[in-house]
């Protein structure tokens, strides 16, 4: 009975110890170099070995933050995880340190939380030294070198070169388009103003010329010119083809829109003219004068006083001219687009060169 109680007591003591060992967390810290020259950098590693699945939280150091007085964090730390077997992982935080004063620095223990439980590492020491200068042999030391430009690399300037070639090609295309436009004169379609002589004025001018150039003895020529002048006047004034119509057809058309008395006089004139031209009829001087007066009177009675004396003639371009005009317009648009593209490329290339030179 006593042995059983002793056995249970030992189990109660040993089992928690076994569980604690099985689930232990090990926090370590190490530094790449415990001694460095002023201004150099070294790496400190804070690691926590624990069971897989446990949550670990490191201190979030910031750039330029002091790890301890005189020791500065260079940049934000990085963290990586490594499997160490048997269900354990090792999570390590890497911290870059530097110092600008020679001294022996005490780096305090680093605190790590694992599943909200705080663990601490051991503390470290970091010695920062300066470069020893032999003041008796100063000639072995030289001043700082001048700032030197880094050599250009093709990979950095390749894009700039190709963009410059593209801008140059587009500029050449713009120049060629300009030469093409200058070599071909533009087609200018101008509106012409044509002075029109009213029909009655043309007819009266013709009749005056008949009186001056045609002798009355040549009655056939006289009446031919007189009736032709009347036919042209009637055609332009009343709007039908009097030149291709017979005298009777003309009279029938005129009866619908003219003074009957004047039509009667005109009828007698056309009949007399037909007799003279086709039947070799002879007419006296007084009758010739009367027919001439009848023609002039008919013209003056039926003339239109408000007929415009000027007319705008809008030119019509041929198909070839239209094609040429379309080509010139396309060239102008292409030139405008390429000029804007060249300007944009030049600005962009200038910005790239400025960035690469900085």
């Amino acid at each position: 009975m006593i042995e059983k109680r002793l056995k249970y007591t030992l189990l109660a003591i040993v089992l928690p110890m076994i569980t604690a060992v099985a689930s232990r967390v090990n926090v370590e810290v190490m530094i790449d170099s415990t001694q460095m020259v002023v201004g150099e950098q070294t790496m400190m590693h804070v690691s926590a070995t624990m069971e897989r699945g446990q949550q670990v939280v490191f201190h979030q150091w910031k750039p330029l933050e002091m790890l301890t007085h005189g020791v500065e964090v260079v940049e934000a730390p990085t963290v990586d995880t490594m499997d160490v077997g048997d269900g354990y992982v090792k999570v390590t935080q890497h911290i870059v340190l530097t110092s600008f004063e020679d001294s022996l620095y005490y780096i305090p223990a680093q605190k790590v939380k694992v599943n909200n439980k705080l663990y601490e590492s051991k503390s470290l020491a970091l010695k920062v030294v300066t470069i020893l200068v032999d003041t008796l042999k100063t000639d072995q030391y030289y001043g700082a070198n001048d700032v030197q430009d880094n050599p250009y690399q093709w990979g950095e300037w390749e894009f700039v070169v190709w963009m410059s070639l593209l801008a140059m090609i587009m500029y050449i295309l713009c120049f060629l388009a300009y030469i093409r436009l200058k070599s071909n004169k533009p087609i200018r379609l101008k509106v012409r103003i044509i002075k029109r002589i009213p029909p009655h004025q043309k007819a009266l001018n013709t009749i005056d010329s008949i009186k001056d150039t045609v002798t009355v003895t040549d009655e056939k020529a006289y009446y031919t010119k007189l009736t032709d002048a009347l036919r042209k006047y009637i055609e332009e004034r009343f709007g039908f083809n009097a030149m291709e119509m017979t005298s009777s057809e003309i009279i029938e058309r005129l009866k619908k829109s003219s003074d009957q008395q004047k039509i009667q006089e005109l009828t007698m004139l056309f009949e007399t003219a037909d007799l003279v031209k086709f039947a070799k009829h002879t007419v006296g001087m007084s009758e010739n004068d009367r027919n001439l007066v009848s023609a002039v009177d008919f013209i003056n009675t039926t003339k239109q006083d408000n007929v415009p004396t000027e007319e705008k003639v809008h030119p019509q371009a041929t198909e070839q001219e239209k094609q040429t005009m379309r080509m010139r317009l396309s060239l102008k648009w292409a030139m405008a687009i390429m000029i804007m593209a060249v300007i944009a490329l030049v600005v962009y290339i200038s910005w790239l060169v400025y960035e690469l030179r900085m």
Side-chain angles (χ1 to χ4, degrees), residues 70 77 117 224 253 316 329:
K117 186 176 180 181
T224 299
R253 291 290 300 270
Q316 298 293 328
L329 182 61

Side-chain angles (χ1 to χ4, degrees), residues 161-323:
V161 171
W162 288 119
M163 288 294 100
S164 301
L165 288 176
L166 178 60
M168 187 177 299
I169 291 172
M170 294 181 69
Y171 174 78
I172 293 173
L173 291 176
C174 287
F175 182 74
L176 293 177
Y178 174 76
I179 295 297
R180 179 66 182 273
L181 286 175
K182 292 291 288 185
S183 62
N184 295 331
K185 294 183 178 180
I187 299 173
R188 302 184 183 277
L189 301 177
K190 296 183 178 179
V191 177
R192 294 181 299 165
I193 305 297
I194 299 177
K195 292 185 177 181
R196 298 289 187 183
I197 301 176
H200 68 276
Q201 189 62 50
K202 287 193 291 185
L204 293 175
N205 292 340
T206 304
I207 291 174
D208 288 339
S209 66
I210 292 172
K211 291 189 294 182
D212 297 334
T213 59
V214 181
T215 60
V216 181
T217 55
D218 190 1
E219 292 182 342
K220 183 175 182 180
Y222 176 83
Y223 278 100
T224 299
K225 290 182 177 294
L226 181 61
T227 53
D228 285 346
L230 282 172
R231 286 174 182 271
K232 290 179 181 178
Y233 167 74
I234 292 170
E235 183 172 318
E236 294 182 12
R237 168 62 180 83
F238 295 98
F240 58 86
N241 191 9
M243 296 297 295
E244 303 296 330
M245 299 173 66
T246 63
S247 300
S248 58
E249 291 173 342
I250 294 172
I251 296 303
E252 289 298 325
R253 291 290 300 270
L254 291 175
K255 285 181 179 180
K256 301 177 181 179
S257 56
S258 300
D259 184 5
Q260 296 300 319
Q261 182 179 355
K262 300 300 179 183
I263 295 300
Q264 185 66 30
E265 295 175 357
L266 193 63
T267 302
M268 294 175 61
L269 188 153
F270 276 118
E271 289 178 352
T272 302
D274 289 341
L275 289 173
V276 171
K277 290 189 292 183
F278 304 114
K280 298 181 179 181
H281 180 67
T282 303
V283 183
M285 183 71 68
S286 60
E287 189 172 357
N288 289 336
D289 293 339
R290 186 175 64 251
N291 288 330
L292 183 63
V293 171
S294 298
V296 172
D297 192 30
F298 174 78
I299 293 171
N300 288 329
T301 303
T302 57
K303 69 180 181 180
Q304 292 178 318
D305 294 327
N306 296 326
V307 177
T309 59
E310 292 184 352
E311 180 181 355
K312 291 183 179 180
V313 178
H314 296 273
Q316 298 293 328
T318 63
E319 189 61 34
Q320 184 177 0
E321 289 175 338
K322 291 179 180 179
Q323 184 177 358

Side-chain angles (χ1 to χ4, degrees), residues 51 53 67 74 154 204 272:
E51 290 184 349
L67 183 70
V74 177
W154 169 248
L204 293 175
T272 302

